[in-house]
Amino acid sequence: SQTIHQWPATLVQPVGSPLSLECTVEGTSNPNLYWYRQAAGRGLQLLFYSVGIGQISSEVPQNLSASRPQDRQFILSSKKLLLSDSGFYLCAWSGGLAGGGQFFGPGTRLTVL
Amino acid sequence: KQEVTQIPAALSVPEGENLVLNCSFTDSAIYNLQWFRQDPGKGLTSLLLIQSSQREQTSGRLNASLDKSSGRSTLYIAASQPGDSATYLCAVRISGYSTLTFGKGTMLLVSP
């Protein structure tokens, strides 16, 4: 069966510091991968998605970036965090076949102070 | 642009009640619809996935229906339990290769 991992689970960072969040998927190949942010009262916001290694689509202009160095690895990064980057970051995957659902990881709680 | 609305935003019921959560979407040309559950501080758990050609899906005490023409889906929870307390989100996909559009969720509290 497929599993999705995210780390770290929680993170507290000062404003202006760099960020690296990692997501890995097991038990499948060629998944579509997604990064979402969930802020209080604002619902789920899609940040990036990837249909293959090195292929990244950005949904929202911001100081975050994403990379996919391996088939089942998705990384969310920032060079300098802002207070507004605080939130709950969720990674998700879906199969390459059309019609499948999306499946989410446990999330990373990021607090920027 | 597809928009997804969930009503009510919050719901509180006593244990044992049957309840219905509503989801509406503005563009009826969807590919599929997915219901999720989210516990506080946790990720999303997929509950049910309904393809556009289907009218309903069932899993245990959960039943989800889809009416594409009216742009609506309902999640029916039978004999609710305190363990059902969570936020329930619906999301639609408009094509086989598109991303999901989420509603803001319904926060459910089931009291013992």
Side-chain angles (χ1 to χ4, degrees), chain A residues 34 36 38 41-42 44 46 49 88 90 94 98-106, chain B residues 31-32 34 36 38 41-44 46 49 51 89 93 96 99-100 102 104:
Chain A
Y34 311 83
Y36 291 86
Q38 190 175 36
R42 296 189 60 184
L44 273 161
L46 178 65
Y49 68 96
F88 192 49
L90 290 158
S94 65
Q102 272 190 31
F103 303 93
F104 283 75
Chain B
Y31 198 82
N32 59 34
Q34 197 166 359
F36 296 88
Q38 185 176 29
K42 305 294 184 182
L44 277 65
S46 180
L49 173 68
Q51 303 298 337
L89 298 111
R93 173 178 283 185
T99 58
L100 292 178
F102 280 85
K104 291 190 175 181

PDB file of all heavy atoms in Angstrom, chain A residues 34 36 38 41-42 44 46 49 88 90 94 98-106, chain B residues 31-32 34 36 38 41-44 46 49 51 89 93 96 99-100 102 104:
ATOM      1  N   TYR A  34       1.820  17.318  -4.659  1.00  0.00           N
ATOM      2  CA  TYR A  34       1.214  18.625  -4.397  1.00  0.00           C
ATOM      3  C   TYR A  34       1.685  19.161  -3.039  1.00  0.00           C
ATOM      4  O   TYR A  34       1.850  18.395  -2.092  1.00  0.00           O
ATOM      5  CB  TYR A  34      -0.323  18.507  -4.349  1.00  0.00           C
ATOM      6  CG  TYR A  34      -0.943  17.758  -5.495  1.00  0.00           C
ATOM      7  CD1 TYR A  34      -1.005  16.375  -5.494  1.00  0.00           C
ATOM      8  CD2 TYR A  34      -1.481  18.446  -6.586  1.00  0.00           C
ATOM      9  CE1 TYR A  34      -1.571  15.676  -6.555  1.00  0.00           C
ATOM     10  CE2 TYR A  34      -2.058  17.760  -7.645  1.00  0.00           C
ATOM     11  CZ  TYR A  34      -2.097  16.377  -7.623  1.00  0.00           C
ATOM     12  OH  TYR A  34      -2.669  15.694  -8.670  1.00  0.00           O
ATOM     13  N   TYR A  36       0.225  22.021  -0.302  1.00  0.00           N
ATOM     14  CA  TYR A  36      -0.852  22.914   0.092  1.00  0.00           C
ATOM     15  C   TYR A  36      -0.445  23.634   1.379  1.00  0.00           C
ATOM     16  O   TYR A  36       0.324  23.123   2.179  1.00  0.00           O
ATOM     17  CB  TYR A  36      -2.132  22.138   0.409  1.00  0.00           C
ATOM     18  CG  TYR A  36      -2.827  21.487  -0.760  1.00  0.00           C
ATOM     19  CD1 TYR A  36      -2.463  20.218  -1.194  1.00  0.00           C
ATOM     20  CD2 TYR A  36      -3.884  22.126  -1.411  1.00  0.00           C
ATOM     21  CE1 TYR A  36      -3.114  19.605  -2.255  1.00  0.00           C
ATOM     22  CE2 TYR A  36      -4.551  21.524  -2.463  1.00  0.00           C
ATOM     23  CZ  TYR A  36      -4.162  20.266  -2.871  1.00  0.00           C
ATOM     24  OH  TYR A  36      -4.822  19.659  -3.916  1.00  0.00           O
ATOM     25  N   GLN A  38      -2.484  25.480   4.693  1.00  0.00           N
ATOM     26  CA  GLN A  38      -3.767  25.686   5.357  1.00  0.00           C
ATOM     27  C   GLN A  38      -3.552  26.703   6.467  1.00  0.00           C
ATOM     28  O   GLN A  38      -2.887  26.421   7.456  1.00  0.00           O
ATOM     29  CB  GLN A  38      -4.285  24.359   5.927  1.00  0.00           C
ATOM     30  CG  GLN A  38      -5.707  24.400   6.415  1.00  0.00           C
ATOM     31  CD  GLN A  38      -6.184  23.023   6.837  1.00  0.00           C
ATOM     32  OE1 GLN A  38      -5.438  22.225   7.384  1.00  0.00           O
ATOM     33  NE2 GLN A  38      -7.451  22.720   6.578  1.00  0.00           N
ATOM     34  N   GLY A  41      -8.872  29.825   9.051  1.00  0.00           N
ATOM     35  CA  GLY A  41      -9.963  30.580   8.452  1.00  0.00           C
ATOM     36  C   GLY A  41      -9.865  30.793   6.955  1.00  0.00           C
ATOM     37  O   GLY A  41     -10.728  31.449   6.372  1.00  0.00           O
ATOM     38  N   ARG A  42      -8.838  30.214   6.320  1.00  0.00           N
ATOM     39  CA  ARG A  42      -8.665  30.478   4.886  1.00  0.00           C
ATOM     40  C   ARG A  42      -8.767  29.230   4.037  1.00  0.00           C
ATOM     41  O   ARG A  42      -8.670  29.298   2.832  1.00  0.00           O
ATOM     42  CB  ARG A  42      -7.324  31.164   4.639  1.00  0.00           C
ATOM     43  CG  ARG A  42      -7.223  32.529   5.268  1.00  0.00           C
ATOM     44  CD  ARG A  42      -5.976  33.253   4.806  1.00  0.00           C
ATOM     45  NE  ARG A  42      -5.965  33.443   3.348  1.00  0.00           N
ATOM     46  CZ  ARG A  42      -4.954  33.970   2.681  1.00  0.00           C
ATOM     47  NH1 ARG A  42      -3.855  34.338   3.319  1.00  0.00           N
ATOM     48  NH2 ARG A  42      -5.010  34.105   1.370  1.00  0.00           N
ATOM     49  N   LEU A  44      -7.828  25.462   2.360  1.00  0.00           N
ATOM     50  CA  LEU A  44      -6.643  24.872   1.747  1.00  0.00           C
ATOM     51  C   LEU A  44      -6.251  25.643   0.495  1.00  0.00           C
ATOM     52  O   LEU A  44      -7.063  25.859  -0.398  1.00  0.00           O
ATOM     53  CB  LEU A  44      -6.915  23.423   1.366  1.00  0.00           C
ATOM     54  CG  LEU A  44      -6.672  22.394   2.452  1.00  0.00           C
ATOM     55  CD1 LEU A  44      -7.385  21.110   2.123  1.00  0.00           C
ATOM     56  CD2 LEU A  44      -5.189  22.140   2.607  1.00  0.00           C
ATOM     57  N   LEU A  46      -3.618  25.626  -2.696  1.00  0.00           N
ATOM     58  CA  LEU A  46      -2.615  24.888  -3.457  1.00  0.00           C
ATOM     59  C   LEU A  46      -1.444  25.806  -3.767  1.00  0.00           C
ATOM     60  O   LEU A  46      -1.622  26.905  -4.297  1.00  0.00           O
ATOM     61  CB  LEU A  46      -3.228  24.352  -4.754  1.00  0.00           C
ATOM     62  CG  LEU A  46      -2.286  23.606  -5.683  1.00  0.00           C
ATOM     63  CD1 LEU A  46      -1.796  22.312  -5.028  1.00  0.00           C
ATOM     64  CD2 LEU A  46      -2.969  23.295  -7.008  1.00  0.00           C
ATOM     65  N   TYR A  49       2.410  22.042  -7.674  1.00  0.00           N
ATOM     66  CA  TYR A  49       2.191  20.651  -8.005  1.00  0.00           C
ATOM     67  C   TYR A  49       3.204  20.228  -9.050  1.00  0.00           C
ATOM     68  O   TYR A  49       3.785  21.067  -9.760  1.00  0.00           O
ATOM     69  CB  TYR A  49       0.756  20.362  -8.449  1.00  0.00           C
ATOM     70  CG  TYR A  49       0.340  20.966  -9.763  1.00  0.00           C
ATOM     71  CD1 TYR A  49       0.409  20.231 -10.944  1.00  0.00           C
ATOM     72  CD2 TYR A  49      -0.183  22.248  -9.817  1.00  0.00           C
ATOM     73  CE1 TYR A  49      -0.007  20.771 -12.142  1.00  0.00           C
ATOM     74  CE2 TYR A  49      -0.592  22.792 -11.010  1.00  0.00           C
ATOM     75  CZ  TYR A  49      -0.509  22.050 -12.171  1.00  0.00           C
ATOM     76  OH  TYR A  49      -0.925  22.593 -13.354  1.00  0.00           O
ATOM     77  N   PHE A  88      -0.063  25.533   8.286  1.00  0.00           N
ATOM     78  CA  PHE A  88       0.016  24.073   8.272  1.00  0.00           C
ATOM     79  C   PHE A  88       0.233  23.652   6.822  1.00  0.00           C
ATOM     80  O   PHE A  88      -0.588  23.947   5.955  1.00  0.00           O
ATOM     81  CB  PHE A  88      -1.294  23.512   8.839  1.00  0.00           C
ATOM     82  CG  PHE A  88      -1.269  22.048   9.155  1.00  0.00           C
ATOM     83  CD1 PHE A  88      -0.234  21.488   9.887  1.00  0.00           C
ATOM     84  CD2 PHE A  88      -2.298  21.217   8.739  1.00  0.00           C
ATOM     85  CE1 PHE A  88      -0.216  20.135  10.200  1.00  0.00           C
ATOM     86  CE2 PHE A  88      -2.292  19.866   9.046  1.00  0.00           C
ATOM     87  CZ  PHE A  88      -1.254  19.320   9.779  1.00  0.00           C
ATOM     88  N   LEU A  90       0.720  20.890   3.929  1.00  0.00           N
ATOM     89  CA  LEU A  90       0.322  19.520   3.616  1.00  0.00           C
ATOM     90  C   LEU A  90       0.843  19.108   2.252  1.00  0.00           C
ATOM     91  O   LEU A  90       0.732  19.864   1.283  1.00  0.00           O
ATOM     92  CB  LEU A  90      -1.204  19.401   3.628  1.00  0.00           C
ATOM     93  CG  LEU A  90      -1.857  19.511   5.006  1.00  0.00           C
ATOM     94  CD1 LEU A  90      -3.310  19.913   4.877  1.00  0.00           C
ATOM     95  CD2 LEU A  90      -1.744  18.193   5.738  1.00  0.00           C
ATOM     96  N   SER A  94      -1.255  11.907  -5.964  1.00  0.00           N
ATOM     97  CA  SER A  94      -2.302  11.209  -6.682  1.00  0.00           C
ATOM     98  C   SER A  94      -1.636  10.363  -7.755  1.00  0.00           C
ATOM     99  O   SER A  94      -0.505  10.619  -8.165  1.00  0.00           O
ATOM    100  CB  SER A  94      -3.309  12.183  -7.307  1.00  0.00           C
ATOM    101  OG  SER A  94      -2.706  12.978  -8.311  1.00  0.00           O
ATOM    102  N   ALA A  98      -5.844   9.009 -14.741  1.00  0.00           N
ATOM    103  CA  ALA A  98      -6.951   9.939 -14.538  1.00  0.00           C
ATOM    104  C   ALA A  98      -8.051   9.287 -13.713  1.00  0.00           C
ATOM    105  O   ALA A  98      -8.277   8.092 -13.797  1.00  0.00           O
ATOM    106  CB  ALA A  98      -7.502  10.370 -15.886  1.00  0.00           C
ATOM    107  N   GLY A  99      -8.703  10.074 -12.899  1.00  0.00           N
ATOM    108  CA  GLY A  99      -9.850   9.581 -12.139  1.00  0.00           C
ATOM    109  C   GLY A  99      -9.542   9.196 -10.720  1.00  0.00           C
ATOM    110  O   GLY A  99     -10.444   8.922  -9.940  1.00  0.00           O
ATOM    111  N   GLY A 100      -8.262   9.170 -10.347  1.00  0.00           N
ATOM    112  CA  GLY A 100      -7.910   8.795  -8.990  1.00  0.00           C
ATOM    113  C   GLY A 100      -8.093   9.943  -8.025  1.00  0.00           C
ATOM    114  O   GLY A 100      -8.261  11.086  -8.402  1.00  0.00           O
ATOM    115  N   GLY A 101      -8.081   9.605  -6.726  1.00  0.00           N
ATOM    116  CA  GLY A 101      -8.198  10.617  -5.701  1.00  0.00           C
ATOM    117  C   GLY A 101      -6.844  11.116  -5.276  1.00  0.00           C
ATOM    118  O   GLY A 101      -5.797  10.628  -5.712  1.00  0.00           O
ATOM    119  N   GLN A 102      -6.865  12.136  -4.405  1.00  0.00           N
ATOM    120  CA  GLN A 102      -5.639  12.635  -3.795  1.00  0.00           C
ATOM    121  C   GLN A 102      -5.559  12.133  -2.371  1.00  0.00           C
ATOM    122  O   GLN A 102      -6.573  12.003  -1.685  1.00  0.00           O
ATOM    123  CB  GLN A 102      -5.624  14.170  -3.786  1.00  0.00           C
ATOM    124  CG  GLN A 102      -5.054  14.791  -5.027  1.00  0.00           C
ATOM    125  CD  GLN A 102      -4.822  16.280  -4.904  1.00  0.00           C
ATOM    126  OE1 GLN A 102      -4.542  16.801  -3.832  1.00  0.00           O
ATOM    127  NE2 GLN A 102      -4.928  16.958  -6.043  1.00  0.00           N
ATOM    128  N   PHE A 103      -4.306  11.916  -1.912  1.00  0.00           N
ATOM    129  CA  PHE A 103      -4.081  11.363  -0.585  1.00  0.00           C
ATOM    130  C   PHE A 103      -3.002  12.191   0.102  1.00  0.00           C
ATOM    131  O   PHE A 103      -1.971  12.492  -0.496  1.00  0.00           O
ATOM    132  CB  PHE A 103      -3.707   9.884  -0.689  1.00  0.00           C
ATOM    133  CG  PHE A 103      -4.759   9.101  -1.421  1.00  0.00           C
ATOM    134  CD1 PHE A 103      -4.661   8.894  -2.784  1.00  0.00           C
ATOM    135  CD2 PHE A 103      -5.873   8.627  -0.755  1.00  0.00           C
ATOM    136  CE1 PHE A 103      -5.652   8.203  -3.466  1.00  0.00           C
ATOM    137  CE2 PHE A 103      -6.870   7.932  -1.423  1.00  0.00           C
ATOM    138  CZ  PHE A 103      -6.763   7.729  -2.789  1.00  0.00           C
ATOM    139  N   PHE A 104      -3.283  12.516   1.363  1.00  0.00           N
ATOM    140  CA  PHE A 104      -2.491  13.518   2.055  1.00  0.00           C
ATOM    141  C   PHE A 104      -1.562  12.935   3.113  1.00  0.00           C
ATOM    142  O   PHE A 104      -1.847  11.891   3.706  1.00  0.00           O
ATOM    143  CB  PHE A 104      -3.431  14.519   2.728  1.00  0.00           C
ATOM    144  CG  PHE A 104      -4.039  15.507   1.779  1.00  0.00           C
ATOM    145  CD1 PHE A 104      -5.059  15.116   0.917  1.00  0.00           C
ATOM    146  CD2 PHE A 104      -3.574  16.805   1.713  1.00  0.00           C
ATOM    147  CE1 PHE A 104      -5.601  16.012   0.015  1.00  0.00           C
ATOM    148  CE2 PHE A 104      -4.112  17.721   0.824  1.00  0.00           C
ATOM    149  CZ  PHE A 104      -5.125  17.317  -0.027  1.00  0.00           C
ATOM    150  N   GLY A 105      -0.482  13.657   3.353  1.00  0.00           N
ATOM    151  CA  GLY A 105       0.431  13.338   4.428  1.00  0.00           C
ATOM    152  C   GLY A 105      -0.040  13.927   5.741  1.00  0.00           C
ATOM    153  O   GLY A 105      -1.067  14.606   5.798  1.00  0.00           O
ATOM    154  N   PRO A 106       0.731  13.721   6.813  1.00  0.00           N
ATOM    155  CA  PRO A 106       0.325  14.176   8.148  1.00  0.00           C
ATOM    156  C   PRO A 106       0.511  15.667   8.380  1.00  0.00           C
ATOM    157  O   PRO A 106      -0.018  16.205   9.350  1.00  0.00           O
ATOM    158  CB  PRO A 106       1.225  13.361   9.075  1.00  0.00           C
ATOM    159  CG  PRO A 106       2.431  13.065   8.249  1.00  0.00           C
ATOM    160  CD  PRO A 106       1.938  12.902   6.854  1.00  0.00           C
TER     161      PRO A 106
ATOM    162  N   TYR B  31     -14.966  16.217 -12.932  1.00  0.00           N
ATOM    163  CA  TYR B  31     -14.454  14.893 -13.265  1.00  0.00           C
ATOM    164  C   TYR B  31     -14.739  13.919 -12.127  1.00  0.00           C
ATOM    165  O   TYR B  31     -15.142  12.784 -12.349  1.00  0.00           O
ATOM    166  CB  TYR B  31     -12.965  14.976 -13.548  1.00  0.00           C
ATOM    167  CG  TYR B  31     -12.419  13.804 -14.290  1.00  0.00           C
ATOM    168  CD1 TYR B  31     -12.536  13.738 -15.679  1.00  0.00           C
ATOM    169  CD2 TYR B  31     -11.801  12.761 -13.618  1.00  0.00           C
ATOM    170  CE1 TYR B  31     -12.051  12.652 -16.377  1.00  0.00           C
ATOM    171  CE2 TYR B  31     -11.308  11.673 -14.310  1.00  0.00           C
ATOM    172  CZ  TYR B  31     -11.433  11.632 -15.684  1.00  0.00           C
ATOM    173  OH  TYR B  31     -10.959  10.548 -16.372  1.00  0.00           O
ATOM    174  N   ASN B  32     -14.466  14.368 -10.907  1.00  0.00           N
ATOM    175  CA  ASN B  32     -14.842  13.588  -9.737  1.00  0.00           C
ATOM    176  C   ASN B  32     -14.926  14.492  -8.521  1.00  0.00           C
ATOM    177  O   ASN B  32     -14.561  15.675  -8.584  1.00  0.00           O
ATOM    178  CB  ASN B  32     -13.897  12.396  -9.484  1.00  0.00           C
ATOM    179  CG  ASN B  32     -12.450  12.796  -9.271  1.00  0.00           C
ATOM    180  OD1 ASN B  32     -12.167  13.847  -8.710  1.00  0.00           O
ATOM    181  ND2 ASN B  32     -11.525  11.957  -9.704  1.00  0.00           N
ATOM    182  N   GLN B  34     -14.383  14.390  -4.117  1.00  0.00           N
ATOM    183  CA  GLN B  34     -13.791  13.619  -3.027  1.00  0.00           C
ATOM    184  C   GLN B  34     -14.176  14.264  -1.694  1.00  0.00           C
ATOM    185  O   GLN B  34     -14.110  15.485  -1.546  1.00  0.00           O
ATOM    186  CB  GLN B  34     -12.264  13.596  -3.183  1.00  0.00           C
ATOM    187  CG  GLN B  34     -11.549  12.530  -2.403  1.00  0.00           C
ATOM    188  CD  GLN B  34     -10.087  12.350  -2.866  1.00  0.00           C
ATOM    189  OE1 GLN B  34      -9.626  13.020  -3.790  1.00  0.00           O
ATOM    190  NE2 GLN B  34      -9.376  11.463  -2.214  1.00  0.00           N
ATOM    191  N   PHE B  36     -13.270  14.404   2.393  1.00  0.00           N
ATOM    192  CA  PHE B  36     -12.170  14.173   3.310  1.00  0.00           C
ATOM    193  C   PHE B  36     -12.625  14.457   4.735  1.00  0.00           C
ATOM    194  O   PHE B  36     -13.553  15.236   4.969  1.00  0.00           O
ATOM    195  CB  PHE B  36     -10.987  15.106   3.022  1.00  0.00           C
ATOM    196  CG  PHE B  36     -10.331  14.916   1.693  1.00  0.00           C
ATOM    197  CD1 PHE B  36     -10.798  15.597   0.576  1.00  0.00           C
ATOM    198  CD2 PHE B  36      -9.230  14.081   1.559  1.00  0.00           C
ATOM    199  CE1 PHE B  36     -10.181  15.442  -0.654  1.00  0.00           C
ATOM    200  CE2 PHE B  36      -8.605  13.928   0.340  1.00  0.00           C
ATOM    201  CZ  PHE B  36      -9.076  14.611  -0.774  1.00  0.00           C
ATOM    202  N   GLN B  38     -10.758  15.755   8.445  1.00  0.00           N
ATOM    203  CA  GLN B  38      -9.536  16.272   9.046  1.00  0.00           C
ATOM    204  C   GLN B  38      -9.742  16.437  10.547  1.00  0.00           C
ATOM    205  O   GLN B  38     -10.611  17.193  10.989  1.00  0.00           O
ATOM    206  CB  GLN B  38      -9.118  17.616   8.434  1.00  0.00           C
ATOM    207  CG  GLN B  38      -7.779  18.113   8.958  1.00  0.00           C
ATOM    208  CD  GLN B  38      -7.304  19.382   8.297  1.00  0.00           C
ATOM    209  OE1 GLN B  38      -8.097  20.204   7.857  1.00  0.00           O
ATOM    210  NE2 GLN B  38      -5.987  19.568   8.211  1.00  0.00           N
ATOM    211  N   GLY B  41      -5.138  19.445  13.820  1.00  0.00           N
ATOM    212  CA  GLY B  41      -3.693  19.309  13.757  1.00  0.00           C
ATOM    213  C   GLY B  41      -3.197  18.140  12.926  1.00  0.00           C
ATOM    214  O   GLY B  41      -2.004  17.819  12.962  1.00  0.00           O
ATOM    215  N   LYS B  42      -4.102  17.514  12.177  1.00  0.00           N
ATOM    216  CA  LYS B  42      -3.725  16.339  11.383  1.00  0.00           C
ATOM    217  C   LYS B  42      -3.916  16.589   9.895  1.00  0.00           C
ATOM    218  O   LYS B  42      -4.507  17.584   9.479  1.00  0.00           O
ATOM    219  CB  LYS B  42      -4.583  15.131  11.801  1.00  0.00           C
ATOM    220  CG  LYS B  42      -4.536  14.807  13.279  1.00  0.00           C
ATOM    221  CD  LYS B  42      -3.164  14.339  13.719  1.00  0.00           C
ATOM    222  CE  LYS B  42      -3.178  13.920  15.185  1.00  0.00           C
ATOM    223  NZ  LYS B  42      -1.828  13.502  15.660  1.00  0.00           N
ATOM    224  N   GLY B  43      -3.420  15.649   9.097  1.00  0.00           N
ATOM    225  CA  GLY B  43      -3.637  15.730   7.668  1.00  0.00           C
ATOM    226  C   GLY B  43      -5.049  15.322   7.290  1.00  0.00           C
ATOM    227  O   GLY B  43      -5.883  15.029   8.149  1.00  0.00           O
ATOM    228  N   LEU B  44      -5.337  15.307   5.995  1.00  0.00           N
ATOM    229  CA  LEU B  44      -6.655  14.938   5.501  1.00  0.00           C
ATOM    230  C   LEU B  44      -6.718  13.442   5.237  1.00  0.00           C
ATOM    231  O   LEU B  44      -5.807  12.878   4.629  1.00  0.00           O
ATOM    232  CB  LEU B  44      -6.973  15.686   4.202  1.00  0.00           C
ATOM    233  CG  LEU B  44      -7.520  17.099   4.305  1.00  0.00           C
ATOM    234  CD1 LEU B  44      -6.501  18.048   4.915  1.00  0.00           C
ATOM    235  CD2 LEU B  44      -7.968  17.590   2.941  1.00  0.00           C
ATOM    236  N   SER B  46      -8.870  10.629   3.243  1.00  0.00           N
ATOM    237  CA  SER B  46      -9.876  10.462   2.196  1.00  0.00           C
ATOM    238  C   SER B  46     -10.974   9.515   2.681  1.00  0.00           C
ATOM    239  O   SER B  46     -10.697   8.427   3.189  1.00  0.00           O
ATOM    240  CB  SER B  46      -9.222   9.898   0.939  1.00  0.00           C
ATOM    241  OG  SER B  46     -10.180   9.718  -0.084  1.00  0.00           O
ATOM    242  N   LEU B  49     -14.636   8.760  -2.750  1.00  0.00           N
ATOM    243  CA  LEU B  49     -14.355   9.357  -4.054  1.00  0.00           C
ATOM    244  C   LEU B  49     -15.489   8.970  -4.988  1.00  0.00           C
ATOM    245  O   LEU B  49     -15.786   7.786  -5.139  1.00  0.00           O
ATOM    246  CB  LEU B  49     -13.023   8.848  -4.599  1.00  0.00           C
ATOM    247  CG  LEU B  49     -12.655   9.234  -6.031  1.00  0.00           C
ATOM    248  CD1 LEU B  49     -12.395  10.732  -6.129  1.00  0.00           C
ATOM    249  CD2 LEU B  49     -11.447   8.442  -6.507  1.00  0.00           C
ATOM    250  N   GLN B  51     -16.853   9.303  -8.856  1.00  0.00           N
ATOM    251  CA  GLN B  51     -16.582   9.696 -10.231  1.00  0.00           C
ATOM    252  C   GLN B  51     -17.814  10.392 -10.806  1.00  0.00           C
ATOM    253  O   GLN B  51     -18.926  10.201 -10.331  1.00  0.00           O
ATOM    254  CB  GLN B  51     -16.222   8.472 -11.075  1.00  0.00           C
ATOM    255  CG  GLN B  51     -15.044   7.665 -10.558  1.00  0.00           C
ATOM    256  CD  GLN B  51     -13.751   8.443 -10.522  1.00  0.00           C
ATOM    257  OE1 GLN B  51     -13.567   9.424 -11.240  1.00  0.00           O
ATOM    258  NE2 GLN B  51     -12.838   8.019  -9.658  1.00  0.00           N
ATOM    259  N   LEU B  89     -14.307  18.011   4.601  1.00  0.00           N
ATOM    260  CA  LEU B  89     -14.078  18.847   3.426  1.00  0.00           C
ATOM    261  C   LEU B  89     -14.469  18.094   2.166  1.00  0.00           C
ATOM    262  O   LEU B  89     -14.257  16.885   2.072  1.00  0.00           O
ATOM    263  CB  LEU B  89     -12.610  19.257   3.316  1.00  0.00           C
ATOM    264  CG  LEU B  89     -12.052  20.093   4.460  1.00  0.00           C
ATOM    265  CD1 LEU B  89     -11.054  19.277   5.260  1.00  0.00           C
ATOM    266  CD2 LEU B  89     -11.390  21.345   3.926  1.00  0.00           C
ATOM    267  N   ARG B  93     -12.593  17.882  -8.811  1.00  0.00           N
ATOM    268  CA  ARG B  93     -11.594  17.927  -9.874  1.00  0.00           C
ATOM    269  C   ARG B  93     -12.358  18.161 -11.173  1.00  0.00           C
ATOM    270  O   ARG B  93     -13.336  17.455 -11.455  1.00  0.00           O
ATOM    271  CB  ARG B  93     -10.817  16.625  -9.916  1.00  0.00           C
ATOM    272  CG  ARG B  93      -9.860  16.504 -11.092  1.00  0.00           C
ATOM    273  CD  ARG B  93      -9.091  15.215 -11.030  1.00  0.00           C
ATOM    274  NE  ARG B  93      -8.033  15.287 -10.045  1.00  0.00           N
ATOM    275  CZ  ARG B  93      -7.141  14.311  -9.863  1.00  0.00           C
ATOM    276  NH1 ARG B  93      -7.224  13.205 -10.555  1.00  0.00           N
ATOM    277  NH2 ARG B  93      -6.200  14.437  -8.970  1.00  0.00           N
ATOM    278  N   GLY B  96      -9.376  15.180 -15.735  1.00  0.00           N
ATOM    279  CA  GLY B  96      -8.531  14.101 -15.260  1.00  0.00           C
ATOM    280  C   GLY B  96      -7.135  14.546 -14.875  1.00  0.00           C
ATOM    281  O   GLY B  96      -6.445  13.854 -14.148  1.00  0.00           O
ATOM    282  N   THR B  99      -6.013  19.958 -10.832  1.00  0.00           N
ATOM    283  CA  THR B  99      -5.886  19.864  -9.388  1.00  0.00           C
ATOM    284  C   THR B  99      -7.260  19.973  -8.740  1.00  0.00           C
ATOM    285  O   THR B  99      -8.256  20.236  -9.407  1.00  0.00           O
ATOM    286  CB  THR B  99      -4.963  20.971  -8.872  1.00  0.00           C
ATOM    287  OG1 THR B  99      -5.501  22.233  -9.274  1.00  0.00           O
ATOM    288  CG2 THR B  99      -3.569  20.828  -9.451  1.00  0.00           C
ATOM    289  N   LEU B 100      -7.309  19.764  -7.426  1.00  0.00           N
ATOM    290  CA  LEU B 100      -8.565  19.820  -6.693  1.00  0.00           C
ATOM    291  C   LEU B 100      -8.896  21.249  -6.273  1.00  0.00           C
ATOM    292  O   LEU B 100      -8.002  22.039  -5.971  1.00  0.00           O
ATOM    293  CB  LEU B 100      -8.487  18.956  -5.435  1.00  0.00           C
ATOM    294  CG  LEU B 100      -8.408  17.446  -5.620  1.00  0.00           C
ATOM    295  CD1 LEU B 100      -8.287  16.762  -4.261  1.00  0.00           C
ATOM    296  CD2 LEU B 100      -9.622  16.932  -6.357  1.00  0.00           C
ATOM    297  N   PHE B 102     -11.066  22.957  -3.254  1.00  0.00           N
ATOM    298  CA  PHE B 102     -11.640  22.585  -1.963  1.00  0.00           C
ATOM    299  C   PHE B 102     -12.675  23.593  -1.473  1.00  0.00           C
ATOM    300  O   PHE B 102     -12.563  24.795  -1.730  1.00  0.00           O
ATOM    301  CB  PHE B 102     -10.546  22.525  -0.896  1.00  0.00           C
ATOM    302  CG  PHE B 102      -9.736  21.274  -0.910  1.00  0.00           C
ATOM    303  CD1 PHE B 102      -8.643  21.140  -1.745  1.00  0.00           C
ATOM    304  CD2 PHE B 102     -10.064  20.210  -0.080  1.00  0.00           C
ATOM    305  CE1 PHE B 102      -7.889  19.973  -1.766  1.00  0.00           C
ATOM    306  CE2 PHE B 102      -9.317  19.045  -0.086  1.00  0.00           C
ATOM    307  CZ  PHE B 102      -8.231  18.923  -0.935  1.00  0.00           C
ATOM    308  N   LYS B 104     -14.379  25.092   2.229  1.00  0.00           N
ATOM    309  CA  LYS B 104     -13.739  25.461   3.484  1.00  0.00           C
ATOM    310  C   LYS B 104     -14.066  24.511   4.623  1.00  0.00           C
ATOM    311  O   LYS B 104     -13.509  24.636   5.715  1.00  0.00           O
ATOM    312  CB  LYS B 104     -14.116  26.891   3.859  1.00  0.00           C
ATOM    313  CG  LYS B 104     -13.503  27.923   2.917  1.00  0.00           C
ATOM    314  CD  LYS B 104     -13.691  29.333   3.432  1.00  0.00           C
ATOM    315  CE  LYS B 104     -12.961  30.313   2.519  1.00  0.00           C
ATOM    316  NZ  LYS B 104     -13.084  31.709   2.999  1.00  0.00           N
TER     317      LYS B 104
END
